[in-house]
Amino acid sequence: MIMIMISTDASAPAKRRTKPSPPENKWRTGARERAYRSRLLEALRAAGERRASGPRAVKEAADSALALTARGQSRWSRAVLLRRRSRLLVRAGGRIRRRKRPRRRPVGPTPGTGQPEEGKKVRDRLRALGRLVPGCENLSTASLLEEAADYVAALEMQVKAMRTLADDLSAAAASGNGRRAEG
Amino acid sequence: MGSAGSYGVGTGNSGAYMTEIAEPIRFDEEIRSLIQARFDAPPVSGGSFTALLGLSANQAVGLLHEPGAGEVSASAAASSPTGLGHPLGWSPTFPSNAGLAERAASFPVFAAADSPASSSGGGPSPQLKAEPSDSDSSPPLPVPIDKPRRPAKRKDCEKQKAKGPAKKLKTAEEHTEDDQLPYVHVRARRGQATDSHSLAERARREKINARMKLLQELVPGCSKITGTALVLDEIINHVQSLQRQVEFLSMRLAAVTPRIDFGGLDSFLMAECGPLAASNGRGEVALDPVSWSSDPAPGTGQRTDLRPSQQSSTAWVYPYGLINHGTSLFGYGAANSVPLNSNQSKTDL
């Protein structure tokens, strides 16, 4: 079993005051997009090989590829990969060995800024955000915001890469088929 | 050690700020006598306490200077050329000032210095300049100014902590109008409580605000929105729309993928690697498809014969150092066998 390369977060220490590096810069460089594209292509070919070309399988492959490209630096990427892995294990008849994270604070997100009466709205929204981002359900507010920023940057890159890939593929498929027909 | 509070009433005409100026004089003497041995740090230490809170010196000075530039500059005149010189001179020296804060907190301030301080016709400022200029170690000159206000208002301060920096100055100004109190606490920021809990809370809150700002910049159209709830709303909408786009695109890809003629992929790969090779300076990507296209792929490139084309395509992605044999991470356990077989069949071909 290949272990996921998990590198410790640069912002791991609890007493860190500010977030030094903006996450979106890492995702916007071309290197990550290229890496993602190649991974996606490979996954697509694998899916085509296995005749698992349902859109859901494709989406899962794309998400896994995205999480892999994140190199395990972010919580959501690890959660995505663990999710896939545990599902695979279940499918293979194995046990799910998921490290149960202790629930730190069920009402983790607190507003911080804003009136206390409207703090409830903020808290609800923070919780909703936590549910959207994979693996960030009961996380502290600061980590949640950080993960969300990274996730948004990654999603944007994913959309961009998938769009160009789909365009290329459909163009190539069209022209390829056309050529095939001629040849 | 002097009388309390009467001084302020006596001379308080030009705002409450002038009344406070005399207090630090008396307090300053006490402070000086105590800290002489320990803190031979220059005036910078006065400002470094604010640095304790994670404020930049500039911010702290800004806060200091907002309500009463006159008093601060007057009091700190001896310590630095102008009050505005503070940001440059201040350097964070935490440990000494934490000790100072504690010690200072235990000393009552009595706005005594009245006779020497108040009686001068020129107002307190010359006195202030004269007194501190006696010795250099008058570090907390800016510090004591707000002290008498502090303790009574601490409850309010803690309640208002949530209100963000914009209100700090207002609350400080409000408080300074009120009656003086004999107790002294070290000031962290105007209108803010200073115990360790609130400090930690404030640091945490600033961390959260910084990340919120990052998110706001990331999500388009969020910079104009004010209010945490609305911003979060926008962010949630954005994430949802992105996820939906991913779903639609995956549907598109799923529709295209079976139609991919793996044999006829040479043209596709050329198109694909074109932009990749351009951005990829290594050129590794460009090489492989060239060799690949020279392979007898066209001969075997029918849809039924996926294996040889599969192996050459995986060869194409090798340069990226992918975990091609470890695709269990992808969840495609079956793919494990593919590269192994393909390597063998490649040699066969």
Side-chain angles (χ1 to χ4, degrees):
Chain A
M1 195 73 74
I2 305 285
M3 288 306 297
I4 303 174
M5 170 178 63
I6 297 182
S7 57
T8 55
D9 240 355
S11 60
K15 292 301 179 193
R16 178 161 297 248
R17 292 249 170 91
T18 54
K19 181 76 189 129
S21 62
E24 67 263 19
N25 291 351
K26 303 200 190 112
W27 283 102
R28 294 235 176 108
T29 62
R32 289 246 180 157
E33 181 159 356
R34 283 193 307 274
Y36 177 65
R37 271 229 247 172
S38 55
R39 293 221 170 120
L40 187 57
L41 264 178
E42 186 198 11
L44 277 183
R45 283 186 228 284
E49 141 91 358
R50 295 186 317 133
R51 291 287 169 231
S53 297
R56 206 177 351 136
V58 172
K59 171 178 176 293
E60 286 182 359
D63 288 340
S64 306
L66 185 69
L68 256 189
T69 313
R71 302 200 152 279
Q73 282 164 1
S74 48
R75 216 159 304 202
W76 61 265
S77 63
R78 294 194 284 267
V80 166
L81 291 174
L82 282 174
R83 212 179 281 172
R84 304 288 329 268
R85 236 220 235 159
S86 67
R87 194 173 307 169
L88 180 66
L89 285 177
V90 166
R91 230 185 263 161
R95 257 184 345 195
I96 299 184
R97 273 184 298 160
R98 177 172 281 182
R99 200 176 30 144
K100 194 69 171 156
R101 295 219 176 134
R103 303 207 74 171
R104 250 193 297 166
R105 285 178 281 170
V107 195
T110 53
T113 60
Q115 313 302 320
E117 308 85 43
E118 297 168 357
K120 182 167 185 318
K121 283 195 213 166
V122 175
R123 238 174 297 141
D124 290 342
R125 284 169 170 83
L126 277 171
R127 215 173 306 142
L129 187 61
R131 270 176 294 174
L132 273 183
V133 182
C136 294
E137 199 151 345
N138 39 356
L139 216 57
S140 67
T141 306
S143 324
L144 180 58
L145 292 179
E146 180 185 342
E147 292 292 318
D150 196 64
Y151 188 57
V152 164
L155 274 184
E156 289 197 17
M157 187 221 73
Q158 183 182 24
V159 163
K160 192 163 139 211
M162 279 175 78
R163 186 170 293 148
T164 42
L165 190 61
D167 289 341
D168 286 346
L169 273 184
S170 43
S175 64
N177 285 345
R179 196 161 333 128
R180 244 332 116 204
E182 292 169 16
Chain B
M1 287 251 245
S3 57
S6 56
Y7 169 71
V9 181
T11 56
N13 59 339
S14 55
Y17 304 129
M18 296 304 270
T19 69
E20 300 166 350
I21 295 182
E23 292 158 15
I25 301 178
R26 170 61 58 177
F27 178 79
D28 184 53
E29 291 167 356
E30 298 159 12
I31 283 277
R32 226 178 294 142
S33 60
L34 283 161
I35 61 179
Q36 199 85 20
R38 263 194 74 175
F39 304 105
D40 38 330
V44 300
S45 52
S48 56
F49 185 77
T50 54
L52 237 185
L53 309 175
L55 270 190
S56 70
N58 292 331
Q59 282 181 5
V61 170
L63 288 175
L64 284 177
H65 282 281
E66 288 256 6
E71 48 166 339
V72 176
S73 48
S75 60
S79 18
S80 62
T82 52
L84 298 174
H86 272 200
L88 310 174
W90 284 356
S91 56
T93 57
F94 305 153
S96 53
N97 276 78
L100 166 65
E102 287 162 11
R103 207 112 43 84
S106 63
F107 277 91
V109 139
F110 303 98
D114 356 60
S115 17
S118 59
S119 56
S120 109
S125 352
Q127 303 295 328
L128 222 72
K129 287 197 181 125
E131 284 235 325
S133 62
D134 290 346
S135 74
D136 276 356
S137 63
S138 55
L141 269 182
V143 182
I145 289 177
D146 224 18
K147 284 199 188 78
R149 313 287 172 238
R150 190 124 307 274
K153 309 301 173 213
R154 279 198 52 187
K155 294 197 198 111
D156 301 316
C157 294
E158 288 184 358
K159 263 191 279 176
Q160 288 162 357
K161 242 185 304 177
K163 285 196 185 160
K167 302 235 178 142
K168 277 185 218 122
L169 305 173
K170 290 191 215 149
T171 54
E173 284 177 47
E174 286 173 341
H175 297 161
T176 52
E177 313 289 348
D178 295 334
D179 50 325
Q180 312 167 19
L181 290 156
Y183 289 102
V184 166
H185 289 265
V186 185
R187 169 186 50 182
R189 231 191 260 182
R190 297 201 69 123
Q192 293 289 314
T194 65
D195 54 326
S196 63
H197 290 297
S198 37
L199 285 184
E201 264 233 35
R202 199 172 326 147
R204 163 184 167 267
R205 192 156 299 128
E206 281 170 10
K207 192 165 73 155
I208 290 180
N209 289 347
R211 304 207 177 164
M212 273 290 292
K213 278 188 80 171
L214 264 183
L215 259 179
Q216 267 188 291
E217 288 163 19
L218 208 45
V219 177
C222 261
S223 331
K224 303 176 194 146
I225 303 184
T226 47
T228 319
L230 295 174
V231 164
L232 282 177
D233 249 352
E234 263 312 305
I235 295 174
I236 290 178
N237 284 341
H238 193 239
V239 168
Q240 279 173 339
S241 88
L242 281 177
Q243 285 178 339
R244 258 176 287 151
Q245 282 181 40
V246 167
E247 275 191 45
F248 287 144
L249 282 172
S250 70
M251 262 198 316
R252 262 186 71 188
L253 278 175
V256 172
T257 303
R259 290 205 303 129
I260 290 182
D261 203 354
F262 285 112
L265 265 179
D266 47 359
S267 58
F268 153 70
L269 277 179
M270 278 305 144
E272 180 69 17
C273 298
L276 289 186
S279 44
N280 181 10
R282 293 176 302 172
E284 289 181 51
V285 179
L287 291 178
D288 277 356
V290 172
S291 56
W292 176 83
S293 58
S294 62
D295 265 356
T300 60
Q302 301 312 313
R303 207 164 289 174
T304 55
D305 201 357
L306 282 178
R307 211 150 262 212
S309 54
Q310 181 79 15
Q311 50 93 10
S312 37
S313 51
T314 52
W316 172 71
V317 296
Y318 277 1
Y320 284 94
L322 289 179
I323 315 173
N324 42 17
H325 42 269
T327 49
S328 59
L329 287 175
F330 273 25
Y332 301 117
N336 274 339
S337 56
V338 173
L340 300 178
N341 293 343
S342 65
N343 284 335
Q344 294 176 0
S345 52
K346 189 167 188 177
T347 54
D348 289 341
L349 279 178

